[in-house]
């Protein structure tokens, strides 16, 4: 098989189109994005998934100085499954989501915190 620099694997759309769809999917619903650009919802989903995986593989955590930890309730009921623990970077120069996890326990409240500030991904 020949390597094509504008494509990845057997994906039916180019890397540029995946980036384009993923950015529009931040502003519109995925269904609206698919309709607006005459593609499928699945194509938008896979584009967003690729973009997120690329971002996770290339993010740098060395400069994190301050974090915020919060617990968010979602869904119905107060079961433990309905809570998400989120970790944010809250430095003055950068505010971003670092980690989201389900089912917090007291023995290990935020497994994502292990990677913060150590320079690992």
């Amino acid at each position: 098989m020949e390597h094509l620099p504008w494509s990845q694997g057997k994906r039916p759309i180019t890397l540029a189109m995946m980036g384009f769809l993923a950015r529009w999917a931040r502003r519109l619903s995925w269904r609206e994005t698919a309709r607006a650009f005459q593609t499928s919802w699945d194509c938008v989903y896979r584009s967003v998934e690729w973009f997120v995986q690329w971002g996770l593989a290339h993010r740098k955590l060395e400069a994190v100085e301050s974090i915020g930890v919060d617990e968010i309730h979602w869904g119905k009921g107060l079961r433990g499954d309905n809570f998400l623990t989120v970790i944010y970077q809250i430095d003055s120069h950068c505010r971003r989501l670092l980690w989201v996890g389900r089912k917090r326990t007291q023995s290990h409240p935020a497994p994502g915190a292990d990677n913060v500030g150590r320079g690992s991904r």
Side-chain angles (χ1 to χ4, degrees), residues 2-42:
E2 190 174 335
H3 172 70
L4 302 173
W6 57 84
S7 185
Q8 184 178 36
K10 295 185 178 187
R11 296 185 187 268
I13 61 173
T14 65
L15 296 175
M17 184 65 171
M18 285 193 292
F20 180 80
L21 290 174
R23 289 190 185 272
W24 271 103
R26 293 171 71 184
R27 294 187 175 263
L28 303 173
S29 74
W30 293 0
R31 180 181 294 163
E32 289 174 306
T33 302
R35 285 183 185 158
F37 299 106
Q38 299 179 357
T39 189
S40 67
W41 180 92
D42 190 58

Side-chain angles (χ1 to χ4, degrees), residues 61-80:
L61 299 175
E62 296 91 19
V64 176
E65 297 173 8
S66 303
I67 63 169
V69 179
D70 200 0
E71 193 169 73
I72 298 173
H73 179 263
W74 66 280
K76 296 181 180 178
L78 295 176
R79 297 186 349 231

